[in-house]
Amino acid sequence: MKFTWVGGRPSVDFTATVGKRRLDEEFERLPGPKDLARWFREAKLSTVAVSRRDYTQALELREALYRLFTGTTLRPDLELVNRWSARPLPGPKLTATLKLEYPRTDADGVLSLLARDAVDLLAGPLAGRIRTCASDDCSLLFVDESRAGRRRWCSMNTCGARSKMKQYRTSMD
Ligand SMILES: [Zn+2]
């Protein structure tokens, strides 16, 4: 199954590993530990193997992040995210081309990175810019970094284009 990378932040993209959350058609893009290992790899966060325990913890963290990003602040979720975020971890590095590079780490380390990313996002200037895609059959979250702050779609190539097409068809009727 393909992963989506429209969130603008690793922690937001992580929540996109459940598809169509607002509908009854919700589906899991990470059916097992191997899929999570692939997500870590494709997110360029780690190339480690993932155990059953790592997997369970990751999904727990993912759902806590999703609730926080969508405005539900439950104490157990805050505690979970804070616990992961507080773990000591080698910091990110700059490559020769001034790109961000995360240190090599185990699965626990990746969850800590994701939690820290979320803490940074939720306590930072873009906290009010975490949005759900406006398309009815999409539930992806994204960080709206546009200047005007009026971005509605997870991506102009998919949901944005579909909406334009719909408007065009309606205007032709
Ligand atoms: Zn969308």
Side-chain angles (χ1 to χ4, degrees):
M1 201 174 303
K2 276 183 81 172
F3 298 131
T4 62
W5 307 99
V6 297
R9 297 285 285 248
S11 58
V12 176
D13 282 333
F14 192 40
T15 67
T17 54
V18 173
K20 298 194 186 289
R21 284 183 186 264
R22 285 183 296 178
L23 306 168
D24 298 334
E25 305 158 43
E26 184 171 295
F27 64 91
E28 178 61 75
R29 287 192 171 98
L30 300 175
K34 275 192 180 141
D35 307 284
L36 180 60
R38 183 166 65 89
W39 190 87
F40 285 174
R41 224 166 35 240
E42 291 186 21
K44 298 189 173 60
L45 294 173
S46 178
T47 53
V48 286
V50 170
S51 71
R52 182 48 67 176
R53 176 184 151 273
D54 299 331
Y55 174 75
T56 309
Q57 290 185 327
L59 265 51
E60 230 175 60
L61 176 65
R62 180 187 67 185
E63 295 315 298
L65 292 178
Y66 181 78
R67 285 188 289 271
L68 286 169
F69 288 153
T70 50
T72 306
T73 50
L74 304 174
R75 205 149 94 206
D77 289 344
L78 287 168
E79 281 169 3
L80 183 72
V81 170
N82 285 339
R83 200 160 63 236
W84 282 112
S85 174
R87 287 175 76 256
L89 198 65
K93 290 189 277 192
L94 281 175
T95 66
T97 54
L98 303 186
K99 293 270 183 331
L100 186 65
E101 187 180 77
Y102 290 104
R104 286 184 183 281
T105 180
D106 56 8
D108 281 359
V110 179
L111 298 193
S112 291
L113 276 174
L114 291 169
R116 281 189 192 184
D117 181 57
V119 167
D120 182 55
L121 175 61
L122 285 162
L126 292 171
R129 294 288 198 95
I130 305 168
R131 312 216 191 290
T132 305
C133 178
S135 171
D136 288 339
D137 59 355
C138 179
S139 65
L140 293 180
L141 301 183
F142 62 90
V143 180
D144 179 2
E145 294 189 71
S146 68
R147 192 180 288 253
R150 285 198 292 263
R151 191 176 142 196
R152 297 182 61 204
W153 319 107
C154 63
S155 159
M156 278 320 290
N157 296 326
T158 54
C159 292
R162 259 205 308 279
S163 156
K164 274 203 176 137
M165 189 62 87
K166 238 190 222 162
Q167 271 172 15
Y168 176 71
R169 281 206 197 109
T170 317
S171 70
M172 297 292 283
D173 287 344

